[in-house]
Amino acid sequence: MAKLYPTPHINAVPEDFGKTVLMPGDPLRAKFIAEKFLTDAKLVNNVRGIQGYTGTYDGTKVSVMASGMGMPSIGIYSYELYNFFGVENIMRIGSAGAMSNKIKVRDIVMGMGASTNSNFVANFNLPGTYAPICSYKMLKTCADIAEEMGVNYHVGNLLSSDVFYNDNENIPEMLTATPAWSKMGVMAVEMEAAALYMNAARAGKNALAICTISDHLLTGEATTAEERQNSFTEMMELALKTAVKLDK
C-alpha cells in the first residue's frame, strides 16, 4: 500500500486534525485564531508556510489552517483534508467585497451558493452547468448561532472570481464585473468558495464559506490588511461556535 502521509502539501496524520477545519486564506490569520481562541493549540502543519493548528474550543477539538489565495490553492488543501485526513467539515472564513447596497462593510455574508468565472468545474467532466452550494446543515447551524449572537449577517450567492486584476486596466477585475453579477442578486465577491464547495460535493463532505465584508465595490469603503488579519473576531467566534455545535 502506498504511503499516504505526509501528502505533498500537508505534513501531518489524520489524528492531528479535528472533525472541522476553519480555513482563512492568510497563514497569519490562522496563527491569530489559534493563539487568541484555541486552548493548547499545536502547530500541525507548516509546509510552504501554510500554517495549520489544532487545539480545543469550548472543549471541542478544532483545527484552523490557511488555504492560501484562490481556487487552485484551496482546491489542493481541501482535497487533501477531505480525502486523506478524514476531515468532515471545512469552513472558509475570509474577506469579501460587497456588491449590494443592502450590505455594509464588516457585515458577515454566508454563501448559500458560489457562482464563479472559473473553469475549475471542468475537472469533474460534467455534461452541463454545475451550481456549487454549501452544506445546508452547516449553513443552518451557523445562521442559528448568528441569530443568538446578534450578528448582522446575510445569506445568498457569492461570486468566486479566478482573477483579481483585469488584463486591460490596472483595476480590480471584480469591480468591472460588479453590475452584471449584482443585478443577479450576488452579494459579494471572493476567490475560494466555489472550489471548496465542489471538492466537498465530490468527497461527500460538508463546506460553508462565511466572510466578513472587507471592502465595498459600490461605495469604495475598505478596511486595511492589518484589520483583515486581526480584527474580524466576530466571524471567527461565529465559526468556532459552529464547529462546536457540528461536533455534537
Side-chain angles (χ1 to χ4, degrees), residues 1 4 6 13 28 39 50 67 77 100 109 111 121 126 147-148 196 224 228:
M1 183 175 177
L4 295 178
V13 294
L28 292 179
T39 301
I50 294 293
S67 70
Y77 293 110
S100 168
V109 293
V121 72
L126 298 169
E147 292 284 347
E148 294 171 6
L196 174 62
T224 66
R228 291 193 294 274

Side-chain angles (χ1 to χ4, degrees), residues 222-244:
T223 57
T224 66
E226 185 176 1
E227 286 178 306
R228 291 193 294 274
Q229 178 182 310
N230 296 326
S231 69
F232 290 174
T233 54
E234 189 174 56
M235 170 183 63
M236 297 168 189
E237 289 186 77
L238 174 60
L240 288 163
K241 290 177 184 293
T242 300
V244 171

Side-chain angles (χ1 to χ4, degrees), residues 47-163:
V47 177
R48 295 175 178 257
I50 294 293
Q51 297 179 40
Y53 297 85
T54 296
T56 61
Y57 181 81
D58 196 20
T60 298
K61 185 178 180 181
V62 180
S63 299
V64 54
M65 192 174 90
S67 70
M69 288 192 293
M71 281 177 272
S73 187
I74 199 170
I76 288 171
Y77 293 110
S78 62
Y79 183 95
E80 293 186 4
L81 289 171
Y82 283 140
N83 292 286
F84 302 130
F85 292 94
V87 170
E88 292 294 322
N89 314 306
I90 296 179
M91 263 185 290
R92 161 161 160 68
I93 51 171
S95 56
M99 291 185 176
S100 168
N101 284 319
K102 298 177 182 178
I103 299 173
K104 299 178 181 178
V105 169
R106 294 185 179 82
D107 282 358
I108 288 175
V109 293
M110 302 178 190
M112 183 162 52
S115 299
T116 186
N117 56 16
S118 171
N119 199 36
F120 190 91
V121 72
N123 175 59
F124 302 100
N125 299 307
L126 298 169
T129 301
Y130 182 75
I133 58 172
C134 73
S135 157
Y136 174 73
K137 180 180 179 181
M138 290 184 72
L139 175 61
K140 185 178 187 305
T141 301
C142 190
D144 287 347
I145 293 171
E147 292 284 347
E148 294 171 6
M149 291 175 61
V151 170
N152 192 18
Y153 73 97
H154 310 264
V155 176
N157 208 345
L158 299 174
L159 168 64
S160 296
S161 179
D162 237 358
V163 293

